[in-house]
Amino acid sequence: MSDVGSLWEALDEQLLPLLRRYRRNLASLQVDRKADNTLLSEADLATQTIIIETISRYFPGSRFVAEEDEAELPSSGEPTWIVDPIDGTSQFVSADGREFCSVVCLLDAGVPVAAYVLAPELGADRTPISIHWSGEVTANGQPAKQLAQSGRPRRASVTRSKDSAARKFETDLAEIGCVMKIRTTSQTLDMVRACIDLSAWTQAAEHQYDLFYRPDQKVWDGAAGIGLAIAMGRAATDGRGISPLPLGEQFLSQREPTFAETIAGDPDCVRWFVELLAEYRSG
């Protein structure tokens, strides 16, 4: 897989101008709603096409598990790539939005072994941040910096649907002084910020997280983040503290492969949160 690093560089060259072009023309951007009420834009489809075509040039015969499947995608072959062309479409179609990214994750025997995350406007003054993982994890070409450890979560991404009720654990997190992010933007970016210190580029340390939690998470929203968490020495488990890996064939062949619960971040914080969830279940 020596060509993966070159693939990530090629995706940077292809996707950054494409996404910027669509962002400059939001007024004319075609946007629809999918059956689950999430947004689908023409930019999502164009970006996915570019990603798949670029990967296929470097790795002919690949298999793809991708969010937007209007086109017939190869459902067999090796290796397997998980693709989310734009994670955070609602942010992408809003002129004020900046929390969106393009995501690719490479699997080997169901285990993430490389990942790519391009956030075109996440940095200070809307500058791009590009995460490449292929052996080493880098952020904008520099070795990714680990986050400081924390016994209890100080900041947590525990997003939920707009109309859903608060959950019991939110009270517990508030009681220990944890600042919570509740509204969803990009799940992938929240997972990235739970395992990589991006403050040198974002100048916003308050947007880093010790803990990430999301129920019913689609595989294209979580696979890259799970892989990056493990690569950076963080933890990634399900709601019972068990690794979700490897991703089995039966799971990946579903129309929308979905993790029941995903927890990631500081190992001690993840352990504490898993124990908290266990108390609720036993009660």
Side-chain angles (χ1 to χ4, degrees):
M1 291 298 174
S2 58
D3 287 341
V4 174
S6 298
L7 170 62
W8 296 161
E9 292 175 3
L11 287 175
D12 277 342
E13 294 174 1
Q14 296 261 5
L15 297 183
L16 198 53
L18 176 72
L19 295 169
R20 284 173 170 166
R21 185 164 66 250
Y22 278 112
R23 286 282 288 169
R24 287 195 300 267
N25 296 281
L26 289 179
S28 60
L29 183 68
Q30 180 179 340
V31 182
D32 300 310
R33 285 194 178 273
K34 297 189 283 189
D36 62 0
N37 208 37
T38 58
L39 299 180
L40 172 64
S41 76
E42 60 180 299
D44 290 87
L45 299 176
T47 302
Q48 179 164 296
T49 297
I50 292 295
I51 290 173
I52 290 173
E53 289 179 350
T54 304
I55 292 173
S56 296
R57 285 199 298 272
Y58 280 80
F59 298 92
S62 289
R63 171 197 187 187
F64 297 95
V65 178
E67 179 171 14
E68 317 304 347
D69 71 340
E70 279 70 11
E72 288 290 330
L73 300 178
S75 59
S76 61
E78 289 294 338
T80 297
W81 306 83
I82 297 176
V83 177
D84 191 347
I86 301 178
D87 180 25
T89 301
S90 62
Q91 287 275 303
F92 183 84
V93 302
S94 169
D96 295 332
R98 59 194 300 178
E99 299 235 349
F100 56 87
C101 60
S102 296
V103 188
V104 180
C105 180
L106 170 62
L107 301 183
D108 181 13
V111 176
V113 294
Y116 169 86
V117 181
L118 173 64
E121 299 181 21
L122 187 65
D125 300 320
R126 295 186 176 270
T127 53
I129 297 177
S130 189
I131 307 297
H132 295 188
W133 171 35
S134 174
E136 181 183 32
V137 181
T138 63
N140 285 352
Q142 300 179 24
K145 183 179 178 182
Q146 292 183 322
L147 290 165
Q149 293 187 332
S150 174
R152 294 284 181 90
R154 298 158 297 183
R155 294 176 296 275
S157 169
V158 288
T159 59
R160 52 182 163 85
S161 328
K162 182 178 180 180
D163 299 323
S164 60
R167 298 146 299 183
K168 290 182 179 179
F169 65 74
E170 292 178 28
T171 300
D172 293 270
L173 288 170
E175 286 178 351
I176 64 171
C178 179
V179 178
M180 289 172 280
K181 176 182 177 180
I182 301 297
R183 295 278 76 85
T184 305
T185 52
S186 162
Q187 294 178 45
T188 297
L189 288 182
D190 284 359
M191 295 186 79
V192 166
R193 290 178 295 197
C195 62
I196 299 174
D197 185 351
L198 298 181
S199 59
W201 293 280
T202 63
Q203 299 178 4
E206 69 273 13
H207 291 161
Q208 302 284 166
Y209 304 109
D210 301 308
L211 178 71
F212 172 91
Y213 171 76
R214 181 75 183 192
D216 301 320
Q217 186 186 44
K218 302 296 190 296
V219 69
W220 37 75
D221 292 324
I226 290 169
L228 285 167
I230 295 170
M232 292 299 296
R234 307 289 267 183
T237 76
D238 66 9
R240 300 181 184 276
I242 301 170
S243 172
L245 305 175
L247 306 181
E249 184 58 37
Q250 185 175 2
F251 175 77
L252 290 171
S253 63
Q254 297 173 18
R255 166 61 193 93
E256 292 189 335
T258 303
F259 301 114
E261 292 176 291
T262 303
I263 307 173
D266 178 280
D268 289 337
C269 294
V270 169
R271 191 176 305 111
W272 175 85
F273 192 70
V274 167
E275 292 173 355
L276 184 65
L277 294 182
E279 291 179 12
Y280 294 144
R281 292 188 178 107
S282 62

